Amino acid sequence: MKTAVVILNWNGLQHLQHYLPRVVNTTPAADIVVADNGSTDGSVRWLREAMPQLQLILLDKNYGFAEGYNRALKQLQGYDVFVLLNSDIEPAEGWLQPLLAQLAQNEDVAVVVPKILDDKCREKFEYAGAAGGFIDILGYPFCRGRILSEVESDKGQYDTPCDVMWGSGAAFCCRAEVFAALGGFAAEFFAHQEEIDLCWRVWLSGRRVVVEPRSKVYHLGGATLSADSPFKTMLNHRNNLAMLYRCAPTAQRLLVAVVRPALDFAAFLLYALQGKRQSAKAVWQAWRDFLRWHRRLSAERKQIRRNVKREAPVYYGSIVLRYLLGRKIFPKLDERRETRDERNI
């Protein structure tokens, strides 16, 4: 399968200098492409001088993660597989082959992701992706290896390939034809949770998302927006609401419509009481944008849910409640695994 490993860069010169040589050395069987999102830090000059063998796509401004990748991938023709890779990822030796093998051996698998470990503490999983992700009934994401703030050490407990609801966009391997057929990422999201939204639509189209732990990468994380960034808070709240409205089955969407306003208002109050005025404002801005998008989201929902082949494997419980009850690691969430269609492969 002809494969392009595509790295989206925005003012990430230091990360390119540190991580890109390792990507090149561990990825002999694919074309490596850097798509630059209007950087102003000298990234393009360095790439032309230090890595002239790589293909370079220049975008005229910062379109964010979602639309940046949409525009870049449209310029790449003739590929069977796209592997999206953050600029702060170091792949382990032989990382790509297991991902491509999953696609070759399973025609209904559209997305496959590696096990993602923390580059700063390599025995631990990385917060944003770990060993594959799910969402709960209220839309809160979690991972095999990370529940809320509880991040596990990697002891081989998740080394079996299996279906997951979503995989992290930090290292995201997708069939090119499926990415195009589903319209790519939701451009209006800009960044954050666009990969969950796409994976949800992959499931609804009758295809599968799989984690392949034989493939392993190390992710620095927080390279663009820090964890306490109010802008990141806004994006996560807004995009999560939009994703649920677009993709969720009716019963789940109605439950979210009743419960989430109260939970998000509680988050608003908590930020305010902590003196984090910008974060509190971010929650308000998220709801403002979501309500402004309502008419368009309704039209998108009709299109997305028109020909559902199967529902995504959502966790039909609350990870917040389970966490408060002391179930802070994935195997302890529920012995029955309240997910649809989760299975080893």
Side-chain angles (χ1 to χ4, degrees):
M1 291 184 287
K2 189 176 181 183
T3 303
V5 174
V6 187
I7 299 169
L8 187 68
N9 173 65
W10 180 68
N11 288 341
L13 176 59
Q14 291 184 338
H15 293 310
L16 292 175
Q17 291 172 331
H18 181 78
Y19 291 98
L20 188 54
R22 178 64 175 171
V23 175
V24 172
N25 292 336
T26 57
T27 316
D31 296 335
I32 299 175
V33 181
V34 178
D36 188 79
N37 233 347
S39 293
T40 58
D41 67 342
S43 295
V44 173
R45 182 174 64 252
W46 180 83
L47 285 164
R48 285 173 169 161
E49 294 174 355
M51 297 283 177
Q53 75 275 28
L54 304 186
Q55 182 175 345
L56 183 59
I57 294 174
L58 300 180
L59 303 176
D60 62 314
K61 65 178 183 179
N62 181 14
Y63 289 95
F65 184 97
E67 182 65 0
Y69 265 122
N70 287 347
R71 288 174 177 258
L73 299 186
K74 284 179 181 178
Q75 298 187 40
L76 298 174
Q77 302 298 318
Y79 287 98
D80 302 301
V81 177
F82 293 135
V83 182
L84 314 186
L85 203 66
N86 274 20
S87 61
D88 58 347
I89 287 277
E90 179 179 324
E93 198 69 39
W95 71 286
L96 184 58
Q97 290 82 353
L99 302 179
L100 298 181
Q102 274 288 349
L103 295 179
Q105 295 164 11
N106 300 282
E107 291 185 0
D108 63 337
V109 173
V111 173
V112 58
V113 293
K115 179 166 63 174
I116 304 180
L117 300 172
D118 188 341
D119 191 41
K120 302 183 293 295
C121 186
R122 292 195 165 197
E123 72 274 10
K124 284 188 170 292
F125 288 105
E126 202 275 324
Y127 177 91
F134 292 93
I135 66 169
D136 75 357
I137 190 66
L138 296 175
Y140 293 111
F142 62 98
C143 304
R144 299 195 314 158
R146 192 272 297 174
I147 305 294
L148 298 182
S149 61
E150 193 78 16
V151 180
E152 298 177 52
S153 295
D154 178 21
K155 300 177 181 179
Q157 66 270 44
Y158 304 119
D159 276 359
T160 303
C162 74
D163 288 354
V164 291
M165 195 273 189
W166 59 271
S168 171
F172 188 89
C173 178
C174 183
R175 295 187 191 273
E177 62 177 348
V178 174
F179 189 90
L182 295 179
F185 294 123
E188 64 270 24
F189 281 25
F190 188 80
H192 294 290
Q193 302 204 29
E194 65 286 306
E195 75 269 56
I196 306 179
D197 176 89
L198 178 60
C199 286
W200 203 331
R201 289 182 281 127
V202 164
W203 278 103
L204 296 179
S205 73
R207 303 173 181 94
R208 294 161 52 209
V209 179
V210 168
V211 61
E212 175 47 85
R214 289 176 297 178
S215 174
K216 183 168 61 177
V217 301
Y218 300 95
H219 184 209
L220 178 63
T224 304
L225 292 173
S226 63
D228 59 353
S229 162
F231 185 48
K232 185 172 186 175
T233 298
M234 188 279 291
L235 291 173
N236 275 316
H237 277 265
R238 182 194 69 187
N239 295 349
N240 185 262
L241 291 167
M243 173 184 68
L244 288 162
Y245 195 92
R246 280 158 51 95
C247 300
T250 300
Q252 184 184 11
R253 184 171 66 89
L254 292 176
L255 178 63
V256 168
V258 172
V259 178
R260 277 293 294 274
L263 292 176
D264 285 359
F265 182 65
F268 170 86
L269 288 178
L270 181 61
Y271 283 132
L273 290 172
Q274 292 174 338
K276 298 179 179 180
R277 292 185 178 182
Q278 292 304 312
S279 294
K281 183 180 178 181
V283 177
W284 175 83
Q285 290 172 328
W287 272 91
R288 178 201 62 191
D289 286 357
F290 170 66
L291 293 173
R292 285 177 176 175
W293 290 0
H294 188 269
R295 180 175 296 181
R296 178 172 50 77
L297 291 173
S298 295
E300 292 173 356
R301 175 179 175 80
K302 290 178 181 178
Q303 180 67 29
I304 290 169
R305 303 260 337 155
R306 181 170 296 165
N307 296 304
V308 172
K309 301 290 194 306
R310 71 167 110 185
E311 294 292 350
V314 171
Y315 176 78
Y316 284 86
S318 167
I319 60 164
V320 174
L321 179 59
R322 297 295 193 272
Y323 188 89
L324 293 174
L325 292 173
R327 299 177 183 181
K328 298 183 179 182
I329 61 174
F330 184 82
K332 297 293 185 181
L333 282 180
D334 195 297
E335 297 299 328
R336 295 170 296 157
R337 290 287 194 277
E338 292 175 324
T339 58
R340 293 180 181 173
D341 298 332
E342 184 192 1
R343 62 188 183 278
N344 291 338
I345 58 173

